[in-house]
Structures are given as structure tokens and as C-alpha cells.
Amino acid sequence: MSDVYGTVNGVSITDADVDAFINKLPQEQKAYLSDPGFRKHCAQQLLEKEMFFACAQADHLDETEEYKEAIASTGKDLLARMAVNQLLGSINATEEEMCSYYEKNKNKFLKESVASAKHILVEEEALCKQIKEDIANHKISFEDAAKKHSTCPSREKGGDLGTFGQGQMVPEFDKVVFSESLNEVHGPIKTQFGYHLILIENRTDASVVSYEEAKPQVQYSVINDKREAAYKAKVEELEKRFCS
């Protein structure tokens, strides 16, 4: 038998009531479930709700025009939502529809081009050229040169910028990284920050995501398009039926 937390005007608040209340809470509030006092707090909220409900009935608030208007408005909203849900709820996407959508819209399912690179940033072009020459003559490694000369915080990692997508860097830098050859030192490249030497270590060109990988997004798009079309068609039908 469920525990009873209390009874108000003949209505008992049980464990089942508390469970139902908790299930409707936003996810972030459910994080408090580990708190031993959380269920009791929820039960108290339900008891207080019943108490105010009993108070409202005793004061005949349910007979006021304000209450009747609110009920009418709420009922209208509820019925309208039910009608929309009835119209859209059963709409789904077939495998054939999804395959067709994917083939016609591959441009929507692209993996961006990404690259990984290291760079050395200095203020003077002459110094940039000298560093490049020293690296070419094996007097110093690119990484050690970055640690010694670069003004960018990436100097601590030997100039390593990690992996980044096309368009994330300033245009002059981006153009080199996504067009020039790998494993060569490029530069000096002038940007608003100074002069760069760039070592492109890896690059993956933009490509179309496979159907299987894109399938969840494809399914969402197909269903969304079908729902929008069904909704629009229904509105047009209802306008002819009910509007004068």
C-alpha cells in the first residue's frame, strides 16, 4: 500500500501522486532526487495545492466570471492543441522518402573541411624570413623556433593550434592552410596580427556525410516538411469551412 503523506478535505496525497508530480518536473529539478528530503518537499507542495484548492472552493471562486473565462480559454487552447496533434502526430517518414530527400539535398549534409597546423607569429617580416631560413637549414626545429620567437600563446605548445574548421582563422591565414601543401613551412604570411610561418600537418577536405550518418537529420527534415505541408493544407481547408 502506498504511503500517505497527508489528507486534505478527503483527498490523500500518496507515493503515486508524488511520483507523477516528479515525472512532470524539468530535468534539471530531477537532479535533486538524491536529496532525502526532496520527496517530502514535493509531497508538501501537493498538499499545499490541495489546501488552496479547498480554500478556493469554500470561497466559491469557481463561480466567478474570472474563473469561467479562464476555463473557457484553457479549454479552447487544449482542444486546439489536440486537433493539431491529431493532424500531425501520425506523420512519419518512409525509407524511400528519406533516401530521395538525401539524394536531392546532399549539399545540406556536408562535413566541413578541417585542418591541424602549427604557426610562428612575429612582428617583423625580416625576422620571420630569418626564422624560416634557420628552420630550412636545420638550425632549429619549427617547434623550438615557435617557443623561442612566437608572440602567440600557442608558443607554449610549439606553435600547435590543434584542429580547426575552414573559416575559423583570419582570411589570409585560412587561405594558406586550406590550399597549400602539407608538411612545408609557408610564409611569411601577413595578417592583422603580424607575420606568420605556417606548418600544415593534416587536412581533411569537405565531404558529404553518408546517408546512414545523416539519417536522423534526414528523418527530422522529411517529417518536418510533411508536417508543415499538412498544417498549411489543413489551415486552407478550415478557412474555407469556417471563415466567412
Side-chain angles (χ1 to χ4, degrees):
M1 183 176 177
S2 296
D3 286 340
V4 175
Y5 290 90
T7 301
V8 178
N9 207 25
V11 177
S12 296
I13 302 302
T14 67
D15 270 332
D17 296 319
V18 174
D19 287 337
F21 177 79
I22 290 173
N23 285 335
K24 293 177 182 177
L25 290 175
Q27 197 59 42
E28 58 269 19
Q29 290 188 35
K30 291 180 182 179
Y32 295 105
L33 275 170
S34 57
D35 184 341
F38 184 66
R39 287 186 66 83
K40 185 177 286 188
H41 173 73
C42 292
Q44 183 60 32
Q45 283 187 269
L46 289 173
L47 287 167
E48 290 172 5
K49 181 180 176 181
E50 285 296 333
M51 285 187 277
F52 277 104
F53 176 66
C55 177
Q57 284 187 314
D59 291 343
H60 304 289
L61 295 182
D62 54 341
E63 297 174 11
T64 63
E65 285 303 313
E66 181 183 359
Y67 174 78
K68 292 174 182 177
E69 288 174 6
I71 287 295
S73 176
T74 302
K76 184 184 291 186
D77 291 342
L78 177 60
L79 286 172
R81 284 199 301 271
M82 288 175 66
V84 171
N85 290 339
Q86 185 179 56
L87 171 68
L88 306 181
S90 61
I91 292 177
N92 214 322
T94 66
E95 190 70 21
E96 183 179 355
E97 288 172 332
M98 289 191 289
C99 287
S100 175
Y101 184 91
Y102 173 77
E103 291 300 325
K104 292 176 182 177
N105 297 276
K106 284 186 176 180
N107 61 313
K108 295 182 179 181
F109 306 103
L110 296 175
K111 282 183 179 177
E112 67 172 1
S113 183
V114 295
S116 55
K118 295 176 180 176
H119 84 138
I120 298 168
L121 173 63
V122 295
E123 294 181 0
E124 298 175 2
E125 185 177 13
L127 175 58
C128 197
K129 289 179 178 178
Q130 183 60 57
I131 295 169
K132 184 177 182 180
E133 186 177 328
D134 289 345
I135 293 171
N137 293 329
H138 305 290
K139 290 183 179 180
I140 191 170
S141 68
F142 190 97
E143 293 75 17
D144 286 342
K147 290 176 182 178
K148 182 177 180 180
H149 298 287
S150 185
T151 60
C152 177
S154 64
R155 65 184 293 169
E156 301 299 329
K157 298 179 181 179
D160 191 357
L161 294 169
T163 301
F164 48 90
Q166 191 167 9
Q168 288 185 239
M169 301 297 181
V170 291
E172 303 89 344
F173 193 100
D174 192 78
K175 182 179 179 181
V176 172
V177 171
F178 289 96
S179 63
E180 299 296 340
S181 55
L182 304 182
N183 301 311
E184 290 184 24
V185 178
H186 301 282
I189 308 299
K190 189 178 187 307
T191 72
Q192 66 197 70
F193 302 107
Y195 294 89
H196 305 256
L197 293 178
I198 304 172
L199 177 63
I200 312 157
E201 298 190 305
N202 196 11
R203 182 172 62 230
T204 303
D205 293 331
S207 61
V208 177
V209 176
S210 70
Y211 172 70
E212 286 304 319
E213 194 175 347
K215 195 170 182 178
Q217 187 181 347
V218 172
Q219 184 179 39
Y220 172 83
S221 296
V222 172
I223 291 174
N224 191 57
D225 286 354
K226 289 176 71 176
R227 284 178 173 173
E228 286 184 1
Y231 186 89
K232 182 179 179 181
K234 191 67 175 179
V235 167
E236 290 175 356
E237 175 198 325
L238 296 176
E239 283 177 344
K240 294 175 183 177
R241 184 177 172 187
F242 296 112
C243 296
S244 56

